[in-house]
Amino acid sequence: MKTLGIGNGQLASSRLAYGCWRIAGSSSPSQVTAQDFENGKRAIVSAYEYGYSMFDNADIYSGGIAEKILGEVLKEIPGMRKRIVIVTKCGVRRTGDSNPDAPYRYDFSSDYIINSCEGSLKRLGIETIDIYLLHRPDYLCNPYEVAEAFDKLYRAGKVRGFGVSNFSPSQLEMLQKYCPYKLLVNQIEISLLETSAFEDGRLDQCIKEQITPMAWSPLAGGIISKSATASSKKFSDDKISRVCGMLDKIAKQRNTTRTVIALSFLLKHPSHIIPIVGTTNPERIRDAAMADDVQLTREEWYSLLEASRGSRLP
């Protein structure tokens, strides 16, 4: 795959990232089996061999097991660590974390960010995280505290760069005002079934401020890759059918797959979106990587957008 720079920093990544959310096979640590662990390792190795050089993780993915799986692969493949960009996230605290009555919540306090980072470093078995993200906006966020934590982590050599996830333009702008380091990434949901980022200013801000948007769920949780009649609580069957129908039409004309076209749709945007591929199937990991070789025309791109909207542009 081709590469591109991340934000305005020194790091560079493949055009698609590999997401580690599902690699442990279960969100519950107690349900992860030895076979699940091996399957997760196989998925990471496949992504690495097919040219993915950015690996996206988080401390809450399977209670940290996803980070451990990636860490094991790094130990087993000589030189892999130097050839990839590791992204991981913090800030989400599950129900019962710290005491039995604690609710599910977000936490950007300085101590929590620093402790979370140290936990991720240990599970990954590395000395430095390339890009460290705040996972979801904390409504009690004190930007001074975040700036303090970022500064300590950077000066200690534990993090090379910082970013956010699921932030609105105003939330990102507020944090950047107090942050001593340029935020490199905003990881947000973008797909042909979820196109709000094209209109709500998030991608405009990314272009303006040289921030790299990473697209989580670029295939809408796999719905786009499956049949056009796949059921979904979030998206209507009509919308799924329209989008998948247009994807199939263009894929047939291009002699490729629906997945490749759906990812190419994101790659064409001038903000340089990096879609995060989350399948653990090696063949699908390879298939997704082919999206980097397809350049959609403007007509194809807008045909897909129109299918998503369900009507022509105004």
Side-chain angles (χ1 to χ4, degrees):
M1 277 188 275
K2 295 184 284 292
T3 61
L4 81 165
I6 302 171
N8 68 342
Q10 302 300 312
L11 297 170
S13 164
S14 52
R15 286 298 281 114
L16 288 89
Y18 184 70
C20 299
W21 176 34
R22 294 190 179 97
I23 60 172
S26 173
S27 60
S28 174
S30 63
Q31 296 180 10
V32 178
T33 66
Q35 186 59 55
D36 290 331
F37 203 95
E38 290 304 312
N39 291 343
K41 288 169 60 178
R42 181 182 63 179
I44 290 173
V45 171
S46 296
Y48 179 63
E49 291 178 345
Y50 291 134
Y52 295 76
S53 66
M54 175 185 278
F55 289 78
D56 176 72
N57 221 312
D59 59 357
I60 62 164
Y61 293 168
S62 301
I65 294 179
E67 289 181 325
K68 290 182 180 179
I69 293 173
L70 177 55
E72 284 297 310
V73 176
L74 293 176
K75 292 177 184 177
E76 295 173 5
I77 301 181
M80 179 179 175
R81 175 65 190 99
K82 294 181 179 179
R83 299 188 187 100
I84 68 171
V85 173
I86 294 178
V87 179
T88 196
K89 302 180 282 295
C90 76
V92 177
R93 304 190 70 170
R94 296 191 182 279
T95 304
D97 184 357
S98 74
N99 68 74
D101 296 326
Y104 187 94
R105 64 205 186 280
Y106 310 131
D107 191 341
F108 290 174
S109 60
S110 181
D111 287 345
Y112 187 75
I113 291 173
I114 291 171
N115 291 336
S116 296
C117 181
E118 292 174 346
S120 290
L121 288 169
K122 183 177 181 180
R123 288 187 291 271
L124 290 163
I126 60 177
E127 295 181 354
T128 307
I129 293 166
D130 294 309
I131 306 177
Y132 200 43
L133 307 185
L134 301 177
H135 205 152
R136 286 189 176 272
D138 175 9
Y139 300 111
L140 298 178
C141 172
N142 181 331
Y144 293 102
E145 278 196 72
V146 175
E148 177 186 17
F150 282 4
D151 194 44
K152 287 182 179 179
L153 292 173
Y154 182 85
R155 290 179 181 275
K158 296 179 179 180
V159 176
R160 290 190 175 91
F162 302 93
V164 296
S165 181
N166 302 297
F167 271 47
S168 69
S170 62
Q171 290 167 335
L172 194 154
E173 184 179 2
M174 180 273 292
L175 181 60
Q176 184 64 85
K177 179 176 176 61
Y178 299 96
C179 181
Y181 307 103
K182 182 73 168 63
L183 297 173
L184 303 177
V185 164
N186 189 9
Q187 188 175 126
I188 52 181
E189 183 180 9
I190 323 173
S191 74
L192 270 165
L193 295 180
E194 177 48 77
T195 59
S196 58
F198 293 112
E199 300 183 2
D200 64 13
R202 284 178 290 172
L203 292 179
D204 299 335
Q205 182 184 49
C206 285
I207 294 174
K208 178 185 176 184
E209 302 297 338
Q210 292 184 287
I211 295 168
T212 296
M214 295 176 66
W216 62 266
S217 202
L219 299 174
I223 293 173
I224 288 174
S225 299
K226 300 173 185 175
S227 69
T229 57
S231 61
S232 167
K233 294 180 180 179
K234 185 173 182 179
F235 309 108
S236 71
D237 286 343
D238 285 345
K239 185 171 187 176
I240 295 170
S241 181
R242 289 195 311 270
V243 167
C244 291
M246 183 56 68
L247 283 169
D248 286 340
K249 177 181 178 180
I250 297 174
K252 183 177 181 180
Q253 294 170 345
R254 292 279 192 154
N255 192 29
T256 187
T257 66
R258 184 189 295 173
T259 292
V260 166
I261 299 302
L263 294 173
S264 298
F265 174 83
L266 300 182
L267 293 177
K268 187 174 180 64
H269 196 268
S271 63
H272 301 303
I273 297 168
I274 296 180
I276 304 171
V277 175
T279 178
T280 57
N281 183 307
E283 291 184 3
R284 292 178 181 173
I285 293 171
R286 179 185 60 186
D287 179 34
M290 297 178 184
D292 192 34
D293 296 326
V294 175
Q295 296 292 326
L296 295 180
T297 65
R298 278 179 166 263
E299 291 75 16
E300 290 170 328
W301 196 92
Y302 274 104
S303 292
L304 287 165
L305 182 65
E306 182 177 87
S308 177
R309 290 169 55 90
S311 63
R312 53 155 284 181
L313 291 172

